[in-house]
Amino acid sequence: ILNGEDTVWLSYGTGSQLVCYVGHNGLMDFRPQRQPVVDTTSRAHSAIVLACASRSYFEEILREARAHPLLLTNGLMAPEAYTLDAAVTGFYSGHSAEQIAEAASLAYARFQKCSPAAARRLFVVRR
């Protein structure tokens, strides 16, 4: 990723610090048959799931996979890139979980034209 004149290298796969999913919550349509395979030798990753009601569908699965569920949702939402951008920017800027959720909430409120208070209720923060 280029940021002005600086180049920032991001790891992917098992080397990543943050894993994100943005889109339709397919777990609302079916339950997975298999449980995630956990590599107990690797460090835990943080996860952001921007999908409808992701807390109730993903939180347990993420914890079983040794992932830290950093930002999840409580209700129906429009999973769009501006929310992801705010959250990921906060994460890589070293912000706290609360600051990341606040940034995501404000971006969501701005683009969805809802109150910041309503947007804050949508997001679940896990430290």
Side-chain angles (χ1 to χ4, degrees):
I1 295 176
L2 296 177
N3 182 9
E5 294 183 16
D6 298 326
T7 301
V8 177
W9 294 97
L10 300 177
S11 298
Y12 58 92
T14 59
S16 62
Q17 297 172 327
L18 179 65
V19 177
C20 303
Y21 174 76
V22 180
H24 172 67
N25 183 348
L27 297 182
M28 294 175 92
D29 301 328
F30 68 93
R31 294 306 277 170
Q33 296 288 327
R34 300 181 332 169
Q35 294 301 318
V37 177
V38 179
D39 176 2
T40 57
T41 62
S42 67
R43 62 179 173 72
H45 304 282
S46 290
I48 293 174
V49 182
L50 299 177
C52 293
S54 63
R55 180 190 53 80
S56 60
Y57 290 91
F58 284 84
E59 187 169 36
E60 183 179 329
I61 292 170
L62 290 170
R63 290 196 189 280
E64 288 174 4
R66 289 197 38 193
H68 166 241
L70 176 63
L71 186 64
L72 304 173
T73 62
N74 278 315
L76 301 178
M77 72 163 311
E80 297 180 343
Y82 49 82
T83 309
L84 178 66
D85 179 62
V88 170
T89 298
F91 180 85
Y92 283 105
S93 295
H95 295 167
S96 69
E98 291 80 10
Q99 291 170 316
I100 291 168
E102 180 67 7
S105 297
L106 293 177
Y108 193 81
R110 177 177 169 221
F111 285 94
Q112 289 299 312
K113 296 178 177 48
C114 66
S115 73
R120 285 182 191 105
R121 288 189 296 272
L122 175 63
F123 295 100
V124 179
V125 179
R126 296 292 188 236
R127 289 176 203 93

